[in-house]
Amino acid sequence: MLEQLLTPAVSRFVEFWPWLEDYRWQLGATLLVALVWVLTVLFNMVMSRLISHLSHRGSQLDGQLLKAARSPLRAMIWVLGLSLLLEILDRNDLAATGAIGDEVRRFGSILILAWAGLRLIKVIEDWVIGTTGSRQRMDRTSADAIAKLMRLILFVLVGLTLLQSAGVSISGILAFGGVGGIAVGFAARDLLANFFGGLMIYMDRPFRVGDWVRSPDKEIEGTVEHIGWRLTRIRTFDQRPLYVPNATFINIAVENPSRMFNRRIFEHVGVRYDDVSRVQHITDEIREMLSAHDEIDTRQTLIVHLNRFGPSSLDIMVYAFTKTTQWVRYHEIKQDVMLKIAQIIEGNGAEFAFPTQTVHLAGTESEEPAFAGFPPAGEGQLRK
């Protein structure tokens, strides 16, 4: 390769300028550097034109792939140039070893291809989680899992290729991995548990990035920001980052409120025992109000009934579901419903109940009501 590229050019220069005979290798090295520089400039021009052309045609993915491959390919030109330069130095007894040019070319090519592979995986990952029209091509959690798996495979292949290029027997490593893997498994069982915990999250998908999750078994609640192979990062509602080992999710129950279809309104409204004759009208009107409310999902369970006889009130249970699951909007609807319930109770001439007690006074024939357990002023003492 060296003779085909540089020897004819060097010979022509020597024919015109014979005094360069003693500087053949210096001239060859200079021409090689100039050639690499020219190829780099031409390469940048061609790639810029191609990327611009694809961008105008709307081929965003093709343009991004070319952008990702541009830097590795440019580095490949310089690696090849460096390997040729080392061959020139070796031919003139200036290099450390005769095979150093081949080594640089071989190992450099492997590393550059690995670099290009990582960049291409990143571009494809960003593209698949982008939007097309009004919907997303793929959810971020699935794309992240596939990208991590592809990177892992790439690292393993590159590592094995580098070892084989260095003269290490891969078959011996694979055989040792079967025995050594058992020992490593015992030594790093927590790490492996987290790894398989992350794998189960990606497979079962109980939650994904952006979901609101919480656990009744642990003090875990917040928005999922990142799912790694060892840790899952959750942003709590007070904006603190919470790092949870993935193995934790294997042994606990996890709620995912982000996947709710509705939010529930569940309240008890207490009216006085004096208003018992009005309870039927109150419950009917509340039920009609909820059925006509634009934000209440009437396809779900709707209950408005007298539920229990409380110590100091008749308790009416109000049970309904909103159409929205958005937290702030839900509370706005709940406030509107509760205010309308208050208007219905007042409109029927009833009142909300508050805690009262009836006490028996010594030496009296009638029973007088008293609040909070205290007798009216001026009466006798309580009899136990």
Side-chain angles (χ1 to χ4, degrees), residues 152 180-200 228-231 245-248 250:
L152 180 62
I182 300 176
V184 172
F186 281 109
R189 58 182 180 272
D190 292 336
L191 181 62
L192 292 175
N194 290 324
F195 173 82
F196 285 107
L199 186 62
M200 291 300 103
W229 287 117
R230 194 179 71 88
L231 294 172
N246 290 332
T248 304
I250 300 177

Side-chain angles (χ1 to χ4, degrees), residues 212-254:
W212 164 28
V213 297
R214 65 185 177 190
S215 172
D217 303 329
K218 298 282 187 179
E219 294 183 1
I220 299 174
E221 185 171 11
T223 304
V224 179
E225 286 190 337
H226 176 71
I227 303 173
W229 287 117
R230 194 179 71 88
L231 294 172
T232 294
R233 185 175 71 247
I234 297 175
R235 182 71 58 175
T236 61
F237 292 133
D238 56 1
Q239 298 303 309
R240 292 180 301 169
L242 178 64
Y243 299 92
V244 183
N246 290 332
T248 304
F249 295 107
I250 300 177
N251 302 313
I252 64 172
V254 179

Side-chain angles (χ1 to χ4, degrees), residues 24 46 149 333:
R24 292 182 69 92
V46 172
L149 181 60
I333 298 169

Side-chain angles (χ1 to χ4, degrees), residues 25 189 199 210 331 373 375 382:
W25 75 267
R189 58 182 180 272
L199 186 62
H331 281 286
L382 295 175

